[in-house]
Amino acid sequence: MIRIHKKNLPSNEQDAYEKLYSYFLDHDINMIKSDGDYWLIYLSKKLFNHCDNIKIGLDWLNLPESNSIDFYLKGDNYLFCLAESFIPYGWSCLYSKSKIDKNDTVLLHLDSHRDLMDTRLSEIRSGIWKDLLTNKQVKFSEPKSILASIQSGAIGIGSMVTPLLHDNPHINIAHYNPSVRENKFYYLKPDFLIDNLFDNKELKLCSLITNSVNKKKSNYIESNSLYDVIEFSKEKKNILLHIDMDSLNNRYNGDSDWENEGAYYDNDIFSQISDIDNLINLITIHNLVKKIRHTSIGISPSFYPVEFWKPVTQYLLKSLIKCGIDLSELYKKLYPEKSHYENTFNVPTNLDLETTSCNTFKKQRWNVYYNGIKAGKVTIYHNDNRASIDVQLNKAHQGLGIGKYIFYLACKFSYHNIIEAVMRKNNIASMHSALKAGFFELEVKEKKSQRHMIWLRK
């Protein structure tokens, strides 16, 4: 409950509600009571604005929807969450335990948004803030106070970078934003804004961003090129890597009317995997792994579609781990059980795939031999930036249970990290073979006559 003087709100009840709703965008206003010269406002944090079939993703995380808004996983060098407002908690924990040169740090910010909006924190004195919703003291060097201000709503998903900027005014930000059309260079600094809702005209923490005439003096780049933001980052000694999954696909952009308005940014899974591969390649080429002090990953349910949560996050984490960023603890928390084919996939010795002369990135073909007899062939084609697999078994060798091994071996031996299998919906045998080989079917709204299944390299 918060108290707001009636003089700070319109006298008309409807206008007063509208002002409160615009101020507390990420809250539900449950009740307003009159108390003399004050209004008593009862708030609760709003669940995610819009996400089709969110239960699929919450079941993966074993979460009831009522607890989803406050979900996060934290380790010494990572933070994973649904609502991105929790990201500053990870940074606060890092800074409270590690001596990091704030003059030589860059936030590598992969996100469809800047997240530099106004907070509901006011400054008491330099480095000491107040949560305007609870009146409790907040310091970036005290993680528990940052966590409390996130849970109260004083730090929201749109303002989560602002406290970092105020704690570290010298930080550079390299912002990969797929929705911008060209590189933009800015000068960014912490600022304050008078809050007219609460008494005492509190000074809220905010940011001031201006166009930079001299690119060399800019401390903020916003670009749709991963290469350019990595170039901007690579000279810094310390990197805070932040990946909002909406940088891969932002279908909803927080809008429940997205179907009428049109998807904001709706990359398919092939494009998402390509973006991840590009990021990993750039991190590796520029030897940035040793500079990455902390990795934060946010799902952003009101933006990122649920059918991608589990498989693409898994691929992202595996890729980061392979390039040398130690996120194995987080991976085990999210994927505690290995899949069937990772655990027990033993290929029979009497089954063999023989490479043919057709062995290029665009087309790979193997002859299949079973008990020394040719049993069929398997081909992987690459067209229009996607790879697809075609398994053809001779009739005499169908129904022997060898299809799953053929799918598995061909994908493993291929040049590709993502492969699609397309089959008739009534081809149940092929579906089960593909599933056992590590394929999965994306949950999609559109009705299709064929089944589309995806394999991702683990």
Side-chain angles (χ1 to χ4, degrees), residues 348-354 367-376 394 397 400 402:
T349 57
N350 57 348
L351 178 72
D352 185 40
L353 264 61
E354 178 187 78
N367 290 323
V368 179
Y369 287 88
Y370 187 63
N371 289 324
I373 301 172
K374 187 175 179 181
N394 301 334
H397 290 89
L400 299 179
I402 62 174

Side-chain angles (χ1 to χ4, degrees), residues 232-259:
F232 189 84
S233 307
K234 67 181 185 180
E235 300 304 325
K236 291 296 182 181
K237 184 178 179 181
N238 306 297
I239 296 175
L240 305 179
L241 175 59
H242 165 238
I243 302 171
D244 187 334
M245 299 301 281
D246 76 8
S247 65
L248 299 172
N249 178 307
N250 183 5
R251 179 182 297 164
Y252 309 127
N253 202 33
D255 187 357
S256 59
D257 199 33
W258 72 274
E259 287 182 289

Side-chain angles (χ1 to χ4, degrees), residues 47-70:
L47 296 177
F48 301 109
N49 289 338
H50 182 77
C51 187
D52 287 339
N53 303 316
I54 192 171
K55 190 175 184 301
I56 295 171
L58 299 182
D59 286 348
W60 162 46
L61 298 169
N62 295 314
L63 276 178
E65 189 170 3
S66 58
N67 294 345
S68 61
I69 196 73
D70 289 323

Side-chain angles (χ1 to χ4, degrees), residues 75-79 90-91 94-95 98-101 104-110 174 226 229-230 233-243 276 278-297 316-317 319-327:
D76 290 340
N77 67 327
Y78 69 83
L79 189 135
W91 295 333
L94 176 74
Y95 279 154
S98 307
K99 292 182 178 179
I100 294 178
D101 185 355
D104 203 5
T105 299
V106 61
L107 171 63
L108 182 50
H109 182 50
L110 281 60
L226 275 170
V229 297
I230 293 291
S233 307
K234 67 181 185 180
E235 300 304 325
K236 291 296 182 181
K237 184 178 179 181
N238 306 297
I239 296 175
L240 305 179
L241 175 59
H242 165 238
I243 302 171
I276 292 171
N278 189 18
L279 171 66
I280 298 302
N281 185 49
L282 289 167
I283 288 174
T284 303
I285 288 173
H286 294 290
N287 198 25
L288 300 185
V289 169
K290 61 183 180 182
K291 296 184 176 185
I292 296 174
R293 310 300 180 201
H294 189 271
T295 301
S296 51
I297 299 171
L316 172 64
L317 286 175
S319 300
L320 291 169
I321 291 168
K322 283 180 182 178
C323 83
I325 301 173
D326 185 10
L327 296 173

